[in-house]
Amino acid sequence: MCQIIRYVSLQKDQYVVEESFIDFIKTSKKTGHDLAIEIQQKLIDDDLDIGNCRGQAYDNGANMAGKYQGVQAHIQKSNELARFLPCTAHSLNLLGVHAARVSIKMVNFFGVVQQIFNFFSGSTRRWEMLKKVLKCTLKTHSDTRWASKYNAIHSLCTQLEEVLTALREISEDPSFGDGVAAAKGLLKQITFNFVCYLVFWDKILHIVYRANIVLQSANISIDEGCRIILGLKNALQDLRSGNTDEIISQSTSICEKSSIEAAFSQGRVRKVRKMPGEIASDEVFSREQQFRIDYFNVLDTFLSQMQWRFDKMTEVNDDFCFLTGSSLESWSVIDPKKNAMDLGLLYAKDIEPAEFVSEVESFKFMAASVFPNLKKSTPLQLLNGIRDFSLTSAYPNIEIAYRIFLTMPVTTASCERGFSKLKLIKTYLRSTMGQERLTGLAILSIENRLAKTLDYDEVINEFASRKARRIANL
């Protein structure tokens, strides 16, 4: 497991949101109960009090995010204020995975995309043939890294004409041996139907990919994450409310350039035997009608799952939303007071409810006079403004509330980056490396920004002084 601590720290009289790598936890356990015990023991070893934890984030695995037996459930038994937020980027990934399996045609489509990549990457000669006609290379894709699907679809969609040129040259050159038959098979599968799906998925994945990149920022806050998800939902809803004519028109243009027949192929109509006395018959859809059905099914899958996969993040944002700049400027005095009382009772261990309500009542007017652009001010800017204008003593509970809100994690992208570094550090050449050395190298690599600030002369002198006893013994 990768241990990342998210916190709000004071650096050069300014608050900043930090996510710091602590350690890799070696474990052989798999159940939520056993993993929770190891996490809590690691916190004890690090002299960290789990009672001070205000948020926890994992991926959507059952042993981590399970409602009853997951790690988050066991951690909350020890500290009910350690609110669980599933990784937003991973939840977005699962949306795409489920949408890509909405029908057998979608599964076959992504299978053909992978076959095209495998065909060229499986032979150095075929890959060289591809590079002669392409401006850039094709990409593979996987379910675990959803950004790879966008890269695979987008590279193929923008270079389909060149890919077809390479496939046709290979199919007509007997020197490629078995590759000739494989190229002809792929050419038969790249039809107008396939191009329509390619353009359609390129549009969707482009929107999802941009949102995913922003969500993986280390210092993103809950309110920013909610706005990004809302923007993504609105963009997908806009596609849903439209029609497929634009996609079909764009696909027709691509097919005309690539010498593909720009018409939906009609497959063989399967005759269903009727039982004696049966009058009704099943409705038979054309390929164009089936494409429209798949189009709406994919978007409906995205939109329906977005209703519940981000509930936890929305719930936390609703608890703190009255402290955002736009809310302080537009809401009435009564609404923030009610929300402040609810939040004060929820975090009674950290803030005094009665004083917090009183502070919020006056802070609304103070913020309007202190911040020139209150409506666009982020929670971090408001927190720094409290310190810049020496308002900490007047609004101590509000400052604590902002720090709690900014500490809440949005994604576990930092953990994934830590595992990426682990693959680079612990290679087969370092297979006997111990845990302590591994952690040390990982800290130097992951926290390289801090490592660059070290004074190497001072470190060398300290190291030499510790080894000076050997000289004394001689």
Side-chain angles (χ1 to χ4, degrees):
M1 292 185 291
C2 183
Q3 181 185 9
I4 301 289
I5 302 296
R6 182 182 171 99
Y7 55 93
V8 177
S9 66
L10 188 62
Q11 298 180 7
K12 298 180 181 179
D13 293 331
Q14 288 289 309
Y15 283 109
V16 294
V17 180
E18 295 279 354
E19 288 188 357
S20 298
F21 170 79
I22 303 298
D23 202 353
F24 287 119
I25 305 174
K26 186 178 181 181
T27 177
S28 59
K29 308 296 184 181
K30 294 184 178 180
T31 65
H33 178 263
D34 292 335
L35 291 174
I37 291 176
E38 293 204 0
I39 290 174
Q40 294 182 68
Q41 183 59 50
K42 183 62 170 62
L43 293 175
I44 294 173
D45 296 340
D46 293 338
D47 198 23
L48 296 172
D49 184 6
I50 195 172
N52 294 329
C53 178
R54 292 295 174 266
Q56 51 177 327
Y58 315 102
D59 59 22
N60 289 271
N63 61 338
M64 305 302 293
K67 184 176 181 181
Y68 301 106
Q69 296 299 324
V71 170
Q72 63 91 12
H74 290 288
I75 294 292
Q76 283 196 317
K77 290 178 182 178
S78 302
N79 178 13
E80 60 181 6
L81 295 181
R83 304 175 69 175
F84 167 64
L85 292 98
C87 175
T88 309
H90 187 248
S91 297
L92 202 57
N93 185 5
L94 292 178
L95 289 178
V97 170
H98 292 161
R101 297 173 180 172
V102 72
S103 69
I104 189 63
K105 290 182 176 60
M106 293 300 170
V107 176
N108 291 338
F109 165 73
F110 282 103
V112 173
V113 173
Q114 186 63 33
Q115 287 176 25
I116 294 173
F117 174 81
N118 292 340
F119 172 77
F120 287 105
S121 64
S123 167
T124 55
R125 187 182 175 194
R126 292 197 292 264
W127 191 258
E128 288 298 326
M129 171 69 74
L130 182 68
K131 289 175 65 177
K132 288 180 181 178
V133 296
L134 282 188
K135 298 176 183 178
C136 59
T137 59
L138 296 177
K139 305 290 184 182
T140 186
H141 67 84
S142 66
D143 285 343
T144 56
R145 189 167 176 268
W146 191 250
S148 66
K149 269 189 166 50
Y150 169 72
N151 294 329
I153 296 297
H154 187 67
S155 62
L156 181 59
C157 184
T158 55
Q159 304 172 117
L160 183 61
E161 185 178 357
E162 290 82 358
V163 171
L164 288 170
T165 300
L167 286 173
R168 287 166 182 152
E169 290 183 9
I170 293 174
S171 66
E172 296 172 357
D173 189 347
S175 64
F176 280 95
D178 295 340
V180 174
K184 290 181 178 179
L186 288 174
L187 287 171
K188 289 181 180 180
Q189 296 186 73
I190 303 177
T191 61
F192 182 69
N193 307 48
F194 176 85
V195 176
C196 287
Y197 286 120
L198 189 65
V199 174
F200 160 56
W201 273 106
D202 186 50
K203 283 183 176 294
I204 292 182
L205 293 180
H206 177 78
I207 299 172
V208 176
Y209 173 76
R210 299 303 173 190
N212 209 343
I213 291 297
V214 179
L215 287 172
Q216 293 178 26
S217 175
N219 56 2
I220 188 174
S221 60
I222 295 290
D223 62 312
E224 294 171 342
C226 286
R227 287 198 295 269
I228 292 168
I229 294 300
L230 179 61
L232 174 62
K233 183 178 178 181
N234 291 338
L236 293 175
Q237 188 65 55
D238 182 66
L239 285 178
R240 177 65 176 80
S241 61
N243 53 47
T244 59
D245 293 341
E246 183 182 350
I247 294 175
I248 294 176
S249 175
Q250 186 177 347
S251 302
T252 301
S253 176
I254 294 175
C255 289
E256 290 175 352
K257 295 178 181 178
S258 306
S259 301
I260 298 176
E261 183 182 357
F264 285 98
S265 60
Q266 185 62 46
R268 182 177 65 87
V269 179
R270 178 173 169 266
K271 294 183 179 180
V272 181
R273 182 180 178 183
K274 292 183 179 180
M275 301 300 291
E278 186 177 0
I279 299 176
S281 59
D282 294 335
E283 183 179 0
V284 179
F285 296 105
S286 66
R287 289 293 178 89
E288 182 175 355
Q289 290 174 321
Q290 188 62 52
F291 168 72
R292 297 180 191 275
I293 292 172
D294 291 336
Y295 172 84
F296 290 115
N297 281 343
V298 168
L299 290 172
D300 286 342
T301 302
F302 268 103
L303 293 171
S304 63
Q305 293 200 18
M306 288 185 75
Q307 297 292 337
W308 59 271
R309 282 199 178 274
F310 303 101
D311 281 348
K312 294 289 186 180
M313 185 173 67
T314 304
E315 180 183 336
V316 173
N317 185 61
D318 290 343
D319 289 340
F320 290 88
C321 67
F322 67 96
L323 290 174
T324 60
S326 58
S327 297
L328 289 172
E329 181 175 317
S330 59
W331 285 16
S332 65
V333 179
I334 299 176
D335 291 330
K337 287 174 62 177
K338 180 182 180 301
N339 286 272
M341 178 57 70
D342 294 338
L343 188 66
L345 293 175
L346 179 62
Y347 292 98
K349 294 182 180 180
D350 302 310
I351 57 183
E352 178 61 37
E355 292 183 6
F356 183 57
V357 174
S358 177
E359 290 177 15
V360 170
E361 186 176 4
S362 62
F363 183 70
K364 170 183 172 60
F365 302 102
M366 180 64 70
S369 61
V370 169
F371 295 94
N373 195 2
L374 178 60
K375 188 175 183 179
K376 296 184 179 180
S377 297
T378 64
L380 182 60
Q381 290 172 340
L382 293 170
L383 176 60
N384 281 314
I386 291 175
R387 181 171 181 82
D388 293 339
F389 292 100
S390 302
L391 301 176
T392 302
S393 58
Y395 303 100
N397 291 291
I398 291 181
E399 183 184 37
I400 293 173
Y402 278 128
R403 290 168 60 186
I404 293 174
F405 183 48
L406 292 170
T407 301
M408 295 291 182
V410 179
T411 67
T412 60
S414 296
C415 289
E416 301 299 335
R417 296 186 188 103
F419 285 123
S420 297
K421 287 293 184 181
L422 177 63
K423 291 177 63 177
L424 298 176
I425 296 172
K426 194 171 179 64
T427 64
Y428 73 98
L429 295 174
R430 295 169 174 159
S431 58
T432 59
M433 185 191 305
Q435 185 69 18
E436 183 178 356
R437 180 178 175 82
L438 173 63
T439 299
L441 290 174
I443 291 175
L444 289 174
S445 179
I446 297 172
E447 300 294 337
N448 58 81
R449 179 174 56 85
L450 294 177
K452 291 177 180 178
T453 63
L454 295 175
D455 186 348
Y456 291 103
D457 292 334
E458 182 179 348
V459 174
I460 293 172
N461 292 333
E462 183 180 352
F463 177 79
S465 63
R466 291 185 180 183
K467 301 299 181 180
R469 65 182 185 277
R470 296 185 179 181
I471 300 176
N473 292 335
L474 293 176

